[in-house]
Amino acid sequence: MKRMTAGLRKCGMLVIALSFSALAMAQQKPQVVILATGGTIAGAGADATNSATYQAAKVPVDKLIAGIPQLNDIASVRGEQVFQVASESLRNDNLLTLGKRVSELAKRDDVDGIVITHGTDTTEETAYFLNLVVHTDKPIVVVASMRPGTAMSADGTLNLFNAVSVAGNKESRSRGVLVVMNDEINSARDVSKMINIRPDAFKSPWGALGMIVEGKSYWFRRLDKRHTNASEFDIDKIKSLPLVEIAYAGGNVNDTAYRAFAQAGAKAIIHAGPGNGSVAGPLVPVLQDIHKQGIQIIRSSHVNAGGFVLRNAEQPDDKYDWIVAHDLNPQKARILASVALATTNNTKELQRIFWQY
């Protein structure tokens, strides 16, 4: 009887020791929160051959996490469903809600990194917004997929695994908001969706920051523009975003969209022009008139692979008091203008901001 009692005590002590060991190991893992917003990564198609025809935003975050048990090997993961929408339907209010939640989590001691699952249509816009307004050096990673999880060669599972790996990696700190897809780590500031039907859709004209191979990150460069902790913008102080619209200009352009946006109350209009943000002759007096109404005119380029707009080239921007978007594409120029106009409407200050961010 005594031997049995002693044996039970030893077993009990072993169980307790193993429990403490398991707890210690769990505490050593990075604590990563996955904020889900919907998109293709949470989508489902009717058939495994449907890689481009499907319904987005169908799978909740708990099922996304449960579908990748290997996440437990690299991090302690928990999920939150912030929205469940296709990303083309996201509004400024959604950006503010998401940004404030990311900021709250980043301040917590029990959070080492944050992953946001997102639809690809506006991934670059949401990621750039967070890059501008969330003050933290903790990794914030936006991840998406080009194919739903029901498709052959679905990319979402590996993308999410890689995103959690990057978010939990201390080497990812202080690099700004990151976009992880197709084994690449790109800066939220630079990356854009270049094609809509392939898993290698997201590219930066200036190159990736790094890449992931079998869960390990390899880094090659850093972002030199201002972001996160170095940003003058703070999500905790932003209550609303001014209306900024994009007017696309090509051959045979007219002034209909520009005048309509001005009448609708836009505080700035992004001119998405060809080449160097070129402005057709008949549009020049129209844009001058609109600017006299207090509406900022920002010249950008709709060139896909890195439109670089030079000030006072093509148009005398100093004379007209216009702004150039530097190398930001029209949709990112809209995001930066919205954030900046929440604090200033001074043209020179706005141009400084476009150079620095």
Side-chain angles (χ1 to χ4, degrees), residues 92 242-246 266-270 298 333-334 337-338 341:
N92 282 348
L243 179 64
V244 178
E245 297 284 11
I246 302 171
K267 301 303 180 185
I269 296 175
I270 309 298
I298 303 171
R334 182 188 71 83
S338 295
L341 284 166

Side-chain angles (χ1 to χ4, degrees), residues 9-267:
R9 284 177 180 171
K10 287 182 180 178
C11 287
M13 291 176 67
L14 180 60
V15 169
I16 292 171
L18 289 173
S19 297
F20 276 116
S21 177
L23 179 61
M25 289 180 64
Q27 289 176 338
Q28 289 174 1
K29 292 180 186 178
Q31 308 291 307
V32 176
V33 178
I34 299 177
L35 300 179
T37 68
T40 300
I41 197 167
D47 186 87
T49 60
N50 293 139
S51 62
T53 306
Y54 54 86
Q55 287 186 305
K58 290 296 180 183
V59 182
V61 66
D62 57 339
K63 288 191 176 181
L64 287 178
I65 294 172
I68 315 174
Q70 294 85 355
L71 291 176
N72 294 319
D73 297 333
I74 59 173
S76 292
V77 177
R78 64 183 189 271
E80 292 182 19
Q81 194 76 47
V82 186
F83 334 112
Q84 185 72 307
V85 297
S87 68
E88 70 272 15
S89 298
L90 291 177
R91 309 289 296 174
N92 282 348
D93 287 347
N94 298 125
L95 290 180
L96 292 173
T97 297
L98 179 62
K100 291 180 186 298
R101 184 55 182 150
V102 171
S103 180
E104 288 171 359
L105 289 168
K107 292 181 175 71
R108 293 179 54 160
D109 293 335
D110 62 345
V111 175
D112 297 310
I114 300 164
V115 171
I116 299 107
T117 63
H118 204 282
T120 59
D121 281 354
T122 57
T123 286
E124 63 195 87
E125 297 175 52
T126 296
Y128 185 46
F129 174 75
L130 297 174
N131 195 58
L132 293 171
V133 301
V134 178
H135 286 198
T136 187
D137 65 348
K138 293 180 180 179
I140 300 171
V141 180
V142 183
V143 63
S145 74
M146 293 301 296
R147 295 169 178 165
T150 52
M152 294 179 184
S153 299
D155 54 331
T157 300
L158 182 57
N159 286 349
L160 183 53
F161 179 84
N162 285 341
V164 171
S165 173
V166 172
N169 186 347
K170 291 181 180 179
E171 292 182 2
S172 303
R173 296 174 73 103
S174 301
R175 294 180 185 269
V177 176
L178 306 169
V179 174
V180 170
M181 286 184 67
N182 199 45
D183 299 334
E184 287 190 343
I185 309 169
N186 277 284
S187 166
R189 194 264 178 194
D190 296 340
V191 76
S192 288
K193 185 177 181 179
M194 296 296 186
I195 191 169
N196 65 333
I197 54 172
R198 293 204 317 242
D200 62 341
F202 280 74
K203 296 293 181 184
S204 164
W206 317 128
L209 301 185
M211 63 184 301
I212 312 108
V213 180
E214 295 182 350
K216 180 175 174 56
S217 300
Y218 296 86
W219 300 95
F220 303 114
R221 69 180 183 92
R222 285 182 177 270
L223 176 65
D224 197 44
K225 298 292 186 178
R226 292 177 66 177
H227 59 77
T228 53
N229 268 341
S231 176
E232 65 200 83
F233 311 111
D234 187 346
I235 187 63
D236 297 332
K237 298 177 181 178
I238 299 175
K239 295 182 179 179
S240 63
L241 294 171
L243 179 64
V244 178
E245 297 284 11
I246 302 171
Y248 195 98
N252 201 43
V253 65
N254 61 50
D255 61 8
T256 303
Y258 300 86
R259 294 194 184 279
F261 289 147
Q263 291 175 4
K267 301 303 180 185

Side-chain angles (χ1 to χ4, degrees), residues 271-341:
H271 168 75
N276 186 26
S278 304
V279 182
L283 272 184
V284 171
V286 176
L287 299 188
Q288 287 178 303
D289 180 61
I290 289 173
H291 183 51
K292 288 176 182 177
Q293 300 173 38
I295 301 168
Q296 296 291 350
I297 302 299
I298 303 171
R299 291 197 303 115
S300 70
S301 173
H302 60 61
V303 174
N304 284 334
F308 200 102
V309 181
L310 299 174
R311 188 166 179 82
N312 297 314
E314 296 290 344
Q315 293 296 330
D317 298 295
D318 288 346
K319 177 181 177 181
Y320 297 157
D321 197 36
W322 291 350
I323 298 162
V324 299
H326 192 22
D327 64 324
L328 293 178
N329 63 26
Q331 55 269 35
K332 289 193 178 182
R334 182 188 71 83
I335 292 291
L336 180 54
S338 295
V339 170
L341 284 166

